[in-house]
Amino acid sequence: MTEPRYATAEEVAVVRERVAKVEGGHDNLRDGLATLSQQFSGLRRDLTRSVSDNAAQTRREVMARVDAMSDTAAERDTEISGRLSSIEGGLKLTSWVTMTFIVLATGLLGWGQIGDAAWSFCRRAFGYGP
């Protein structure tokens, strides 16, 4: 059997120095990861806020355009309704004038026939005609 070997004070010092370096590097890595995590959280928060702000702005712009289109459509509807009312009034007037003319013409023709018949009757009754 071989006898156990014991480390010298210098070797222990070297090992302690290496352990201290590794622990220091580990602490640096942990601090770096914590910093990166905080930066990532901040970036995510900023991106979320930016996306939300852009979405809200887009919604406002779209709604403003929709409102403008609705206003334009309402104006066109009002204009078209006015024109149709004007046309309808003109058609009613034209219809009334036409019907009045037809009634007057029919009446005059009827009275003309009555007059001709009376004239013919009077000529025969009083012997002035065939």
Side-chain angles (χ1 to χ4, degrees), residues 23-78:
E23 286 178 352
H26 186 296
D27 290 343
N28 286 339
L29 285 174
R30 187 178 0 189
D31 292 343
L33 285 175
T35 302
L36 284 175
S37 178
Q38 289 174 350
Q39 289 175 347
F40 182 73
S41 293
L43 177 63
R44 182 175 36 188
R45 183 188 61 243
D46 293 344
L47 285 174
T48 302
R49 184 181 312 130
S50 177
V51 167
S52 295
D53 292 347
N54 285 340
Q57 179 64 28
T58 301
R59 271 193 301 277
R60 284 191 296 272
E61 290 174 3
V62 166
M63 291 310 296
R65 289 178 184 165
V66 167
D67 289 343
M69 288 172 28
S70 295
D71 292 344
T72 302
E75 289 173 8
R76 287 180 184 164
D77 287 349
T78 302

Side-chain angles (χ1 to χ4, degrees), residues 107-119:
L108 288 175
L109 287 173
W111 281 108
Q113 288 178 347
I114 291 172
D116 284 343
W119 179 253

Side-chain angles (χ1 to χ4, degrees), residues 1-21:
M1 253 189 150
T2 61
E3 290 189 34
R5 179 180 173 294
Y6 297 101
T8 65
E10 291 174 359
E11 292 173 336
V12 170
V14 169
V15 169
R16 282 186 184 164
E17 186 179 326
R18 288 182 181 170
V19 168
K21 285 182 182 179

